[in-house]
């Protein structure tokens, strides 16, 4: 059985890995580079129970456990570690937060512990995605460079994909192109998928920042509120993201650029919240798009009305966290006909109407 996976982000790579664990051949088509988009530029923060009370809870809890298992089981280093997580605010005058996070400036007030090593963790998302793809390849998966431009169908079934003008036949097709999955809505009856842009900086902080994550509410000098997330990593870098925007998604992933002025705002914010960040070298200034759906829940499951066609996208702010359980569930669905570890009903792609497609004359 050959499963054709469109997209080499964390979701495509995780599906390929879990299919390869079941002895199924996965062929991943990636137009630009593995983890070139949000999967390589996100925070990589993981939490066990922040989704409790929402339909995402079972997926998140299973995935949090799978991240720990994968870090034990697979060779490779992708910066997995458990860590303390704090919350607070900044930009409201000079305060000094008690206790934690002393590497932050005295304009920051730390108000609460949001997580402990039992409930919060992190990975380096690009390295994690690459490691999942590598582990899949070791077990027989294939990665091919190419832009998918269509899904072939015969008698109501998906029979292959069109890649750079060439048809590749397969037994099942999975759309996992993150926000670019919207392109597949003109090939298959899929609901709308959007891209929501976020900006980030990566600093070379060496050993000057301890392994603790921080979520802040920050007021800029003009009163605009931002919600920075700060994640020191065990490779000696510190990742900071904030500033979302509704700038349209470029068709080509290589054309994603930061909005005008966003990086300068981020740099000013970072300098205000930590003297360490103020003096550290910046090693990346970047932007990426998280894939989102109308109801905020991912699309994970069969494409309605087209046998052997599947979709896995729309993971919004929790794509790195939820990738392993999504990969596991998709492999179960494709190989066994149903997911066993997590109930996918809430993520059924058929719960929302498909995007209107241009009719063919
Ligand atoms: C600023 C920011 C911070 C985040 N922080 C976190 C976090 O801390 N924790 C967390 O769990 N999540 C986080 N996320 C969310 C997470 O990054 C995403 O949900 C996740 O990376 C989405 O993965 P994906 O594989 O669906 O999509 P993507 O990473 O977008 O991958 C899609 C891939 O498809 C490829 N592609 C596109 N079109 C085609 C085509 N036609 N043919 C072939 N390939 C194609 C692209 O090149 C790309 O590689 C964050 C997101 C942002 C924006």
């Amino acid at each position: 059985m050959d499963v054709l996976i469109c997209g080499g982000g964390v979701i495509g790579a995780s599906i390929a890995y879990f299919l390869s664990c079941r002895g199924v051949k996965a062929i991943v088509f990636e137009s630009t580079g593995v983890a070139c988009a949000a999967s390589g530029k996100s925070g990589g923060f993981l939490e066990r129970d922040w989704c409790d009370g929402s339909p995402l809870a079972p997926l998140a809890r299973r995935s949090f456990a799978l991240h720990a298992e994968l870090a034990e089981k697979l060779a490779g280093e992708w910066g997995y570690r458990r860590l303390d997580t704090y919350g607070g605010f900044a930009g409201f005058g000079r305060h000094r937060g008690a206790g934690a996070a002393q590497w932050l400036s005295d304009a920051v007030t730390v108000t609460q512990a949001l997580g402990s090593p039992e409930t919060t963790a992190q990975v380096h998302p690009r390295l994690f995605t690459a490691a999942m793809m590598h582990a899949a390849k070791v077990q027989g998966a294939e990665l091919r460079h190419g832009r998918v431009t269509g899904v072939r169908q015969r008698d109501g079934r998906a029979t292959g994909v069109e890649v750079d003008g060439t048809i590749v036949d397969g037994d099942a097709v999975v759309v996992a192109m993150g926000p670019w999955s919207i392109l597949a809505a003109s090939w298959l009856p899929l609901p709308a998928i959007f891209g929501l842009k976020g900006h980030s900086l990566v600093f070379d902080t060496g050993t000057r920042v301890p392994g603790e994550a921080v979520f802040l509410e920050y007021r800029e000098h003009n009163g605009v509120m931002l919600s920075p997330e700060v994640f020191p990593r065990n490779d000696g870098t510190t990742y900071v993201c904030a500033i979302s925007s509704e700038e349209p998604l470029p068709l080509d992933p290589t054309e994603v650029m930061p909005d005008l002025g966003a990086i300068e705002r981020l740099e000013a914010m970072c300098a205000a919240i930590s003297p360490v960040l103020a003096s550290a070298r910046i090693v990346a200034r970047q932007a990426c798009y998280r894939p989102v759906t109308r109801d905020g829940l991912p699309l994970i499951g069969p494409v309605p009305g087209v046998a052997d066609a599947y979709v896995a996208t729309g993971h919004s702010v929790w794509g790195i966290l939820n990738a392993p359980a999504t990969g596991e569930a998709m492999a179960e669905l494709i190989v066994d006909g149903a997911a066993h570890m997590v109930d996918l009903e809430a993520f059924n792609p058929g719960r929302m109407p498909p995007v209107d497609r241009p009719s063919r004359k």
Side-chain angles (χ1 to χ4, degrees):
M1 183 185 200
D2 283 359
V3 178
L4 312 179
I5 300 173
C6 314
V10 72
I11 300 299
S14 299
I15 297 168
Y17 170 72
F18 281 97
L19 281 170
S20 73
C21 292
R22 302 291 303 270
V24 170
K25 170 88 182 258
I27 305 174
V28 178
F29 298 94
E30 166 55 48
S31 63
T32 310
V34 169
C36 66
S39 300
K41 294 174 181 162
S42 84
F45 179 76
L46 315 174
E47 55 73 30
R48 188 187 67 188
D49 44 26
W50 292 8
C51 296
D52 282 4
S54 95
L56 279 175
L59 189 73
R61 282 183 168 263
R62 174 69 188 152
S63 230
F64 190 81
L66 280 174
H67 270 286
E69 277 178 33
L70 290 166
E72 286 281 310
K73 184 174 163 189
L74 297 182
E77 167 58 41
W78 53 88
Y80 176 83
R81 68 174 168 183
R82 302 292 189 112
L83 76 181
D84 285 307
T85 301
Y86 298 96
F89 59 86
F92 295 88
R94 293 179 80 76
H95 297 274
R96 179 63 258 173
Q102 292 301 319
W103 53 278
L104 295 168
S105 81
D106 54 8
V108 175
T109 302
V110 172
T111 53
Q112 57 185 321
L114 295 174
S116 68
E118 229 174 82
T119 60
T120 55
Q122 72 177 161
V123 294
H124 187 304
R126 180 176 53 77
L127 299 182
F128 174 68
T129 305
M132 293 301 280
M133 192 67 86
H134 176 74
K137 282 162 73 179
V138 167
Q139 297 184 141
E142 227 184 280
L143 171 65
R144 295 192 197 168
H145 182 77
R147 185 175 303 278
V148 180
T149 51
V151 171
R152 304 293 282 190
Q153 296 175 51
R154 201 168 44 233
D155 302 329
R157 313 191 79 82
T159 59
V161 292
E162 193 181 297
V163 186
D164 294 326
T166 303
I167 306 301
V168 182
D169 292 326
D171 302 293
V173 174
V174 182
V175 173
M177 303 191 301
W180 293 277
S181 301
I182 187 61
L183 300 175
S186 60
W187 317 328
L188 293 166
L190 288 173
I193 299 126
F194 308 92
L196 187 60
K197 196 171 186 179
H199 296 82
S200 55
L201 299 175
V202 182
F203 295 85
D204 177 3
T205 45
T207 54
R208 290 181 292 161
V209 177
E212 51 196 29
V214 179
F215 287 72
L216 293 174
E217 292 305 313
Y218 172 82
R219 192 175 64 173
E220 289 185 297
H221 60 87
N222 55 3
V224 172
M225 292 301 300
L226 301 178
S227 301
E229 301 176 3
V230 186
F231 306 130
R233 293 174 171 161
N234 68 358
D235 64 355
T237 63
T238 296
Y239 173 97
V240 184
C241 66
I243 309 184
S244 295
S245 105
E246 293 185 5
E247 189 76 7
L249 178 77
L251 270 184
D252 184 338
T254 60
E255 287 173 9
V256 175
M257 297 291 161
D259 290 359
L260 209 63
I263 293 300
E264 290 76 6
R265 286 171 66 199
L266 264 186
E267 288 184 24
M269 178 195 77
C270 289
I273 63 176
S274 165
V276 178
L277 298 182
S279 62
R281 187 169 63 91
I282 299 175
V283 293
R285 296 169 169 88
Q286 56 195 12
C288 61
Y289 286 81
R290 44 183 161 266
V292 295
T293 60
R294 263 188 218 292
D295 65 5
L297 294 176
L299 307 172
I300 310 173
V303 174
V306 184
D308 301 326
Y310 302 85
V311 61
T313 190
H315 290 73
S316 187
V317 294
W318 292 124
I320 307 298
L321 167 65
N322 288 326
T326 299
E328 180 186 56
M330 287 297 293
E332 292 171 346
L333 184 61
I334 293 168
V335 179
D336 306 330
H340 314 297
M341 297 304 293
V342 174
D343 182 356
L344 294 180
E345 190 45 41
F347 315 125
N348 183 350
R351 71 185 185 277
M352 288 183 285
V355 172
D356 278 343
R357 287 189 285 166
S359 57
R360 298 221 172 125
K361 297 243 162 91

